[in-house]
C-alpha cells in the first residue's frame, strides 16, 4: 500500500497458477470508501510472448524486457499489461520494474482526470470572448463607461472562478503526464519492430488530451490579460474625464471668485461714496457757523476728499482684518 497526495495505490501479488479472486476478495473494490481510479493487471513471465490484442509494445532495459498493453479496460474494468523477461532478473529487480509499469498506468490515467470539467469550461471562455468589448473609445459617455467597466469586472470574476476550479487540476495533470514519460525514460523504452511503441502510442493518445487542458488555461490567461487591458483603458479614460471636469470646475470657481471680487470692489466703492456723502452732510453744518456764507460750498468741497479718504481707509482696514481672520 502506497499513500500519495491524491490517491492510495494498492498492489496485490498473485502467485503463478492462481486467480485474483483466489487470493483476494474482489468485493472490496465495490466497498471502497473512495472512487477507484485505476485497475491494472500485470502478468509477467520469463520467455513469454505478447498476446495478440496488445496495442503497443516496447523493449525495456536495453532489450532485456518486452512489455505491452492493450490500454483498454476489460469487462471488470482492468487494463492489462504483459511483461516478458528474457531471463530471470530476480524478485527484487523484477518487482521494481513491474512497480514502474504500474506507475506508468496509474499516472497515465490520472493525467487525464477531470477532463469533463476542463471541457465544460470551453463555453464559458467562448462566452467571455464574445462579450468582450472590441474597443474602448473616448466617445463613450460616463454611464456607458461605468456599465462597460462593470461588465468587465463580471467577466474577470468568471475567469477567476475558472482559475480556482481548474488551475490545480491542470497543473497536476501536467505533472502526471511528465511522470509517465520520465518512467519510460528510466526504463529505456524503445519501440519493437512490428508494433507501435508505448512511447509513441501515449504521445499520440495521451499528450493531445493534456495539451487541450493546457490550451484552456492559456486561453483563460489571454482573456484575463485582454480584460485587464480594457479595464485599465477605461479607468484611465474615466480618470482623464474626471480631471477635465475638475479643471473646468476650478476654472468656473476662479471666474466666479473674480466676478465676486469685482462686485465686492464695486459695492465698496459705492459704499464709500454713500458714507462719505452722509458724513459730509453731517459734518459741514458744524463748521458752517465758523465761515463766511460765501465759503460754505468751499467747506463742503474741501471736506469731501478728506471724508472719502477716511472712509475708504477705514473700510480697507476692516476688509483686511476680516480676510486675515478667515
Amino acid at each position: 500500500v502506497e499513500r500519495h497526495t491524491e490517491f492510495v495505490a494498492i498492489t496485490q501479488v498473485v502467485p503463478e497458477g492462481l486467480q485474483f479472486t483466489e487470493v483476494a476478495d474482489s468485493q472490496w473494490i465495490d466497498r471502497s470508501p473512495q472512487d477507484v481510479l485505476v485497475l491494472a493487471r500485470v502478468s509477467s513471465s520469463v520467455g513469454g510472448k505478447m498476446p495478440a490484442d496488445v496495442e503497443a509494445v516496447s523493449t525495456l532495459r536495453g532489450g532485456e524486457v518486452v512489455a505491452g498493453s492493450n490500454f483498454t479496460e476489460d469487462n471488470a474494468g482492468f487494463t492489462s499489461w504483459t511483461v516478458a523477461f528474457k531471463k530471470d532478473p530476480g524478485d527484487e529487480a523484477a518487482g521494481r520494474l513491474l512497480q514502474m509499469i504500474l506507475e506508468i498506468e496509474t499516472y497515465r490515467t490520472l493525467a487525464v482526470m477531470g477532463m469533463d470539467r476542463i471541457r465544460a469550461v470551453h463555453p464559458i471562455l467562448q462566452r467571455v470572448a464574445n462579450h468582450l468589448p472590441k474597443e474602448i473609445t473616448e466617445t463613450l459617455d460616463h454611464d456607458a463607461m461605468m456599465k462597460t467597466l462593470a461588465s468587465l469586472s463580471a467577466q474577470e470574476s468568471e475567469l477567476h472562478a475558472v482559475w480556482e476550479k481548474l488551475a490545480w487540476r491542470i497543473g497536476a495533470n501536467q505533472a502526471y503526464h511528465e511522470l509517465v514519460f520520465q518512467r519510460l525514460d528510466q526504463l529505456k523504452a524503445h519501440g519493437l519492430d512490428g508494433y507501435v511503441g508505448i512511447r509513441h502510442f501515449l504521445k499520440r493518445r495521451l499528450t493531445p488530451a493534456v495539451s487541450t487542458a493546457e490550451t484552456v488555461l492559456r486561453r483563460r490567461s489571454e482573456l484575463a490579460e485582454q480584460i485587464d487591458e480594457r479595464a485599465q483603458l477605461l479607468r484611465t479614460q474615466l480618470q482623464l474625464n474626471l480631471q477635465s471636469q475638475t479643471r473646468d470646475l476650478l476654472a468656473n470657481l476662479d471666474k466666479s471668485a473674480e466676478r465676486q471680487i469685482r462686485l465686492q470692489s464695486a459695492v465698496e466703492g459705492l459704499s464709500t461714496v454713500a458714507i462719505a456723502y452722509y458724513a459730509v452732510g453731517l459734518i459741514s453744518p458744524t463748521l458752517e457757523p465758523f465761515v463766511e456764507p460765501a465759503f460754505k460750498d468751499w467747506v463742503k468741497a474741501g471736506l469731501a476728499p478728506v471724508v472719502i479718504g477716511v472712509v475708504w481707509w477705514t473700510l480697507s482696514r476692516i476688509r483686511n482684518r476680516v480676510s486675515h481672520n478667515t
Side-chain angles (χ1 to χ4, degrees):
V1 178
E2 293 183 0
R3 297 183 182 274
H4 300 263
T5 303
E6 283 196 289
F7 64 94
V8 175
I10 301 174
T11 303
Q12 174 66 56
V13 179
V14 180
E16 186 178 0
L18 297 179
Q19 298 296 323
F20 175 77
T21 54
E22 296 180 82
V23 296
D25 182 5
S26 61
Q27 297 299 318
W28 69 267
I29 297 176
D30 298 329
R31 295 196 298 266
S32 173
Q34 300 293 334
D35 294 335
V36 177
L37 303 176
V38 183
L39 289 173
R41 182 186 294 110
V42 179
S43 302
S44 64
S45 61
V46 177
K49 295 183 179 180
M50 291 293 106
D53 63 343
V54 293
E55 290 281 349
V57 179
S58 289
T59 61
L60 310 176
R61 298 284 171 82
E64 294 296 320
V65 184
V66 178
S69 175
N70 56 12
F71 293 104
T72 303
E73 296 180 358
D74 59 18
N75 294 333
F78 283 83
T79 301
S80 297
W81 281 77
T82 302
V83 179
F85 295 93
K86 282 190 175 181
K87 59 182 180 180
D88 189 355
D91 292 343
E92 185 175 349
R96 286 197 301 268
L97 186 140
L98 295 177
Q99 180 65 32
M100 294 179 72
I101 289 177
L102 285 173
E103 289 176 353
I104 290 174
E105 178 62 25
T106 301
Y107 297 147
R108 177 187 74 86
T109 303
L110 294 178
V112 293
M113 190 167 62
M115 287 303 298
D116 291 340
R117 285 186 296 162
I118 294 172
R119 293 190 186 97
V121 168
H122 280 289
I124 298 176
L125 298 181
Q126 190 61 44
R127 184 176 67 253
V128 170
N130 291 339
H131 290 83
L132 198 64
K134 299 303 179 184
E135 57 182 17
I136 305 298
T137 64
E138 298 180 2
T139 57
L140 294 176
D141 57 21
H142 180 79
D143 292 340
M145 286 186 182
M146 293 301 296
K147 183 178 180 181
T148 304
L149 193 59
S151 175
L152 290 174
S153 179
Q155 291 173 334
E156 187 176 14
S157 297
E158 279 192 283
L159 293 181
H160 184 70
V162 169
W163 171 264
E164 289 185 335
K165 184 188 300 183
L166 297 182
W168 191 90
R169 178 71 269 151
I170 292 176
N173 288 5
Q174 292 171 344
Y176 290 131
H177 177 262
E178 292 175 1
L179 285 172
V180 168
F181 291 96
Q182 283 181 10
R183 294 295 183 270
L184 290 173
D185 290 338
Q186 292 169 357
L187 291 172
K188 300 178 181 179
H190 294 282
L192 185 64
D193 292 342
Y195 294 95
V196 176
I198 295 175
R199 185 191 303 275
H200 179 74
F201 181 89
L202 292 178
K203 280 188 175 181
R204 191 177 61 188
R205 298 289 185 89
L206 179 64
T207 301
V210 177
S211 298
T212 298
E214 294 174 356
T215 301
V216 168
L217 209 57
R218 184 167 57 252
R219 178 59 173 159
R220 179 262 166 204
S221 298
E222 291 173 353
L223 287 173
E225 290 178 1
Q226 293 179 30
I227 288 175
D228 184 66
E229 289 175 358
R230 284 164 171 76
Q232 189 62 37
L233 285 173
L234 269 177
R235 294 189 186 99
T236 301
Q237 188 60 46
L238 285 170
Q239 187 176 7
L240 290 175
N241 291 347
L242 181 60
Q243 290 176 353
S244 177
Q245 293 174 1
T246 302
R247 185 174 59 252
D248 294 341
L249 179 60
L250 291 175
N252 291 333
L253 289 175
D254 289 340
K255 291 180 180 178
S256 298
E258 186 178 351
R259 287 194 297 268
Q260 187 70 22
I261 291 173
R262 287 201 298 265
L263 179 61
Q264 182 179 352
S265 299
V267 170
E268 288 179 356
L270 293 175
S271 299
T272 300
V273 172
I275 293 172
Y277 175 79
Y278 285 109
V280 170
L282 292 173
I283 296 172
S284 59
T286 61
L287 298 177
E288 287 178 357
F290 302 100
V291 297
E292 295 293 332
F295 295 102
K296 289 181 179 180
D297 292 336
W298 287 98
V299 170
K300 291 181 180 180
L303 282 174
V306 176
V307 172
I308 290 174
V310 172
V311 171
W312 178 84
W313 178 80
T314 303
L315 291 177
S316 297
R317 288 290 301 273
I318 294 172
R319 183 179 67 251
N320 292 336
R321 183 174 298 177
V322 171
S323 299
H324 179 73
N325 291 335
T326 56

